[in-house]
DNA sequence: AACTGGGACAACCGCCGTACA
DNA sequence: CTGTACGGCGGTTGTCCCAGT
């Protein structure tokens, strides 16, 4: 796997963190005498002795019975992650790595659940592995999931969508959790030791798949773009693909600079899945299909991409309609901004891929100024404004599907089923709106102008999340 | 040799659900 | 029904080690 895993056999000797306050500090501050930071061998011994005598659980009693100066939480964590005898201390095997990816594709950031499928492995271990993987892939501009996974997911999503649209809940893949179940993914043929092998495949989507899906399976092709040009350039294959495939990342009418545009994907970039759907009235889809890239403008709110499992956000019921045009008409750039101000957003975003799958997402493009083509946002501004249909969004760049139940429930405001005309909704979004207006006001003139026009359809954005109802926030 | 960046890992924090008084 | 304690979970941060420059 990586350079560090080789030494996994020799557990690192815990060292005291310099930043954690120690016992004396705690005393000085009059706080309870509870140790923090790395565990010592003596502490481990005490904890193990306690557990062997009293069993697991009742962790808050550990301090009392064993004399450990650790809070119950800390004890539980230490036991669960390090001292349990059944834990594997060896580095993750390739098979385990496969399994993790597979599981993540199925359940998103459900580390604990994933851990139950990987005997001897802890949620923390899996989480760390995944987070490292994300960074690595992002840096290299590679998709998180092997092409096999994406393809399978895509086909599965098509099936799911078909089922959804037909209203045949009996055959739906939706589980009781409100999450789509997808079949086991076969990683047998995937060579994890050669991650670059699938770099091109991440972009290797048949043209036919780009626009012919009535409803874009949200996010199958998750591609990370490094934060820096340096990183992006490291991926020659990716670059070549960029150059050669106008259907992809580059708008057909874009004027290319002498060198390919530099793309990056801010790690905190919020992306709106809505954006990715190919409904007629989804502005985002316009942008996507127009190949419009977004700017690297600062995002008004700090948002983090979260990770996913298979969930569908319904942006518009209509967009799921089979009659919905899979290919939004090409419109002028101005059209892209004609949505309710509430949902105007200075953008970032666009999805290259409009295969509807789109995780292929990218941002922070640097475009040539002074282009000739006025119809192209690319050419009218290098700080492209894209209407992002969102209220609050967290985008999950890690999943082939987009949002996890967690992300869905934490991210999407429950405007569900209500329109923005709803007073409550308006109230909720006012703050956002103000911030966004401020940001938008800095945009190109034509953008601000178009804000005044509100498209009715935009005001009825339904976020139908399939997350557990109990998870939905009550606001 | 020093510096830097990335990876691995450990641990903490905050939130949430559940059990129980 | 309510408040509290506890445990679980996911996100984040801090530290160390190693390799490359």
């Amino acid at each position: 796997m990586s350079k560090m895993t080789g030494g996994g056999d020799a557990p690192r000797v815990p060292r005291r963190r310099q930043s954690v306050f120690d016992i004396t500090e705690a005393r000085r501050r009059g706080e309870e005498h509870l140790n923090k930071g790395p565990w010592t061998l003596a502490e481990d011994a005490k904890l193990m002795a306690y557990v062997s005598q009293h069993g697991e659980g009742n962790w808050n009693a550990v301090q009392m019975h064993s004399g450990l100066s650790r809070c119950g939480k800390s004890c539980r964590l230490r036991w669960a992650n390090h001292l349990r005898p059944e834990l594997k201390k060896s580095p993750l095997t390739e098979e385990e790595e496969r399994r993790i990816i597979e599981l993540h594709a199925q359940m998103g950031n459900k580390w604990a659940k994933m851990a139950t499928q990987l005997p001897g492995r802890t949620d923390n271990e899996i989480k760390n592995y995944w987070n490292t993987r994300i960074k690595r892939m992002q840096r290299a501009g590679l998709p998180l999931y092997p092409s096999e996974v994406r393809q399978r997911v895509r086909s599965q999503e098509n099936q799911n969508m078909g089922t959804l649209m037909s209203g045949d809940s009996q055959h739906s893949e939706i589980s009781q959790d409100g999450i789509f179940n997808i079949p086991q993914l076969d990683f047998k043929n995937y060579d994890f030791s050669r991650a670059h092998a699938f770099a091109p495949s991440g972009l290797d989507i048949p043209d036919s798949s780009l626009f012919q899906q009535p409803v874009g399976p949200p996010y199958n092709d998750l591609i990370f773009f490094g934060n820096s040009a340096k990183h992006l350039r490291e991926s020659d294959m990716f670059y070549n693909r960029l150059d050669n495939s106008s259907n992809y990342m580059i708008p057909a009418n874009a004027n290319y600079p002498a060198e390919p545009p530099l793309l990056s994907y801010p790690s905190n970039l919020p992306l709106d899945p809505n954006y990715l759907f190919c409904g007629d009235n989804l502005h985002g889809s316009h942008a996507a299909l127009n190949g419009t890239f977004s700017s690297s403008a600062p995002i008004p709110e700090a948002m983090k991409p979260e990770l996913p499992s298979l969930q569908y956000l319904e942006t518009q019921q209509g967009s799921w309609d089979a009659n919905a045009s899979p290919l939004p008409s090409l419109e002028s750039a101005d059209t892209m901004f004609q949505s309710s101000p509430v949902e105007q957003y200075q953008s970032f975003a666009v999805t290259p891929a409009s295969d509807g799958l789109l995780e292929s997402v990218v941002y922070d493009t640097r475009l040539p100024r002074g282009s000739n083509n006025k119809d192209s946002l690319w050419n009218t501004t290098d700080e492209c404004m894209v209407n992002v249909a969102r209220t609050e969004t967290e985008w999950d760049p890690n999943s082939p599907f987009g949002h996890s139940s967690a992300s869905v429930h934490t991210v999407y405001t429950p405007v569900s089923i209500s329109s923005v005309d709803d007073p409550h909704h308006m109230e909720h979004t006012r703050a956002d709106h103000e911030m966004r207006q401020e940001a938008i006001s800095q945009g190109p003139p034509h953008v601000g102008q178009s804000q005044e026009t509100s498209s009715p359809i935009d005001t009825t954005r339904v976020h139908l999340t399939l997350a557990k109802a109990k998870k939905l926030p009550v606001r």
Side-chain angles (χ1 to χ4, degrees):
Chain A
M1 186 164 101
S2 76
K3 57 188 177 185
M4 289 299 290
T5 53
D9 295 336
R12 198 189 299 180
V13 178
R15 301 189 186 184
R16 190 139 187 92
R17 288 192 191 193
Q18 295 177 349
S19 62
V20 300
F21 74 86
D22 56 16
I23 298 175
T24 55
E25 173 66 7
R27 282 172 175 162
R28 189 184 65 74
R29 290 156 60 171
E31 296 171 2
E32 186 158 7
H33 172 173
L34 289 178
N35 202 0
K36 280 188 162 187
W39 281 63
T40 64
L41 293 177
E43 287 177 316
D44 282 347
K46 283 183 181 178
L47 182 57
M48 292 189 75
Y50 171 84
V51 173
S52 64
Q53 190 174 351
H54 300 91
E56 299 182 41
N58 201 11
W59 297 109
N60 284 331
V62 175
Q63 185 182 4
M64 192 190 320
H65 291 109
S66 67
L68 259 180
S69 297
R70 294 274 182 175
C71 69
K73 266 189 167 185
S74 185
C75 292
R76 184 184 62 81
L77 215 58
R78 182 66 184 176
W79 174 258
N81 290 341
H82 300 280
L83 302 179
R84 276 160 47 206
E86 64 268 28
L87 290 180
K88 292 179 183 174
K89 302 293 184 182
S90 57
L92 292 171
T93 65
E94 283 193 11
E95 180 55 36
E96 285 173 324
E97 291 178 17
R98 281 193 191 93
R99 187 69 181 134
I100 289 172
I101 296 172
E102 176 182 326
L103 290 170
H104 192 273
Q106 289 179 300
M107 53 183 75
N109 294 8
K110 301 299 177 187
W111 312 119
K113 274 189 180 179
M114 292 165 74
T116 64
Q117 305 296 312
L118 292 163
R121 300 299 181 186
T122 69
D123 54 352
N124 209 35
E125 195 174 5
I126 295 170
K127 181 170 57 183
N128 284 336
Y129 165 74
W130 189 259
N131 288 337
T132 300
R133 178 184 170 81
I134 288 175
K135 287 183 195 171
R136 189 166 58 240
M137 294 311 198
Q138 179 178 7
R139 191 170 300 111
L142 302 175
L144 262 183
Y145 296 93
S147 58
E148 299 93 333
V149 183
R150 298 194 306 275
Q151 286 168 9
R152 293 184 73 141
V153 169
R154 186 180 310 142
S155 63
Q156 180 61 46
E157 284 176 342
N158 284 337
Q159 287 179 19
N160 288 338
M161 282 302 182
T163 302
L164 256 185
M165 288 187 285
S166 70
D168 186 354
S169 59
Q170 281 188 321
H171 297 92
S172 164
E173 294 284 332
I174 302 175
S175 70
Q176 289 182 336
D177 287 338
I179 298 173
F180 284 91
N181 293 322
I182 58 176
Q184 292 289 308
L185 303 168
D186 184 3
F187 292 79
K188 298 280 191 294
N189 299 321
Y190 177 64
D191 184 354
F192 285 79
S193 65
R194 300 170 56 209
H196 282 273
F198 63 84
S201 66
L203 297 169
D204 190 17
I205 298 175
D207 293 345
S208 60
S209 72
L210 295 180
F211 306 114
Q212 293 180 0
Q213 294 170 352
V215 177
Y219 333 95
N220 291 350
D221 295 283
L222 207 187
I223 300 168
F224 279 109
F225 295 92
N227 277 335
S228 70
K230 170 193 168 189
H231 288 137
L232 185 60
R233 286 198 170 106
E234 287 171 355
S235 178
D236 291 338
M237 298 169 81
F238 169 77
Y239 235 126
N240 291 337
R241 183 66 188 189
L242 265 182
D243 267 339
N244 298 334
S245 176
S246 60
N247 282 338
Y248 236 34
M249 310 297 300
I250 311 299
N253 58 352
N255 288 336
Y256 282 79
E259 60 178 359
L262 305 180
L263 310 176
S264 70
Y265 173 60
S267 59
N268 63 341
L269 178 66
L271 296 177
D272 189 349
N274 293 343
Y275 205 78
L276 311 179
F277 282 88
C278 296
D280 255 337
N281 295 293
L282 294 178
H283 301 285
S285 63
H286 296 332
L289 292 169
N290 281 343
T292 306
F293 278 82
S294 68
S295 75
S296 57
I299 298 165
E301 313 159 54
M303 305 206 155
K304 314 168 245 180
E306 201 220 303
L307 332 185
S309 67
L310 184 49
Q311 317 233 349
Y312 289 84
L313 302 174
E314 180 189 339
T315 56
Q316 288 177 264
Q317 298 267 357
S319 69
W320 284 12
D321 184 53
N323 295 328
S325 168
L327 223 186
S329 59
L330 295 176
E331 301 172 21
S332 71
D334 289 356
T335 309
M336 298 171 62
F337 306 106
Q338 293 178 352
S339 67
S340 161
V342 169
E343 292 166 343
Q344 289 286 358
Y345 204 82
Q346 178 147 21
S347 147
F348 30 78
V350 169
T351 105
S354 1
D355 47 356
L357 311 175
L358 195 27
E359 288 161 279
S360 333
V361 176
V362 186
Y363 310 40
D364 188 21
T365 67
R366 293 172 175 81
L367 305 176
R369 295 175 181 269
S371 161
N372 296 330
N373 188 339
K374 294 181 180 178
D375 288 337
S376 166
L377 271 184
W378 271 56
N379 298 326
T380 54
T381 174
D382 57 357
E383 288 289 303
C384 301
M385 297 288 293
V386 178
N387 172 32
V388 178
R390 67 191 289 279
T391 50
E392 285 180 28
T393 296
E394 269 183 53
W395 159 265
D396 185 342
N398 305 325
S399 167
F401 320 116
H403 284 262
S404 66
S405 54
S407 69
V408 167
H409 96 79
T410 58
V411 174
Y412 286 88
T413 51
V415 290
S416 38
I417 328 262
S418 68
S419 113
V420 289
D421 293 327
D422 177 90
H424 293 95
H425 174 82
M426 292 303 289
E427 182 177 83
H428 171 77
T429 56
R430 187 166 295 123
D432 283 351
H433 171 51
E434 289 173 0
M435 287 199 306
R436 290 165 192 173
Q437 282 289 13
E438 186 176 343
I440 289 167
S441 65
Q442 301 168 3
H446 72 280
V447 170
Q449 189 176 10
S450 60
Q451 283 174 17
E452 298 169 4
T453 310
S454 179
S455 168
I457 192 74
D458 294 330
T459 65
T460 50
R461 215 161 249 116
V462 179
H463 295 265
L464 179 152
T465 78
L466 296 175
K468 296 178 182 178
K470 66 176 182 178
K471 283 269 188 178
L472 293 175
V474 179
R475 297 186 186 178

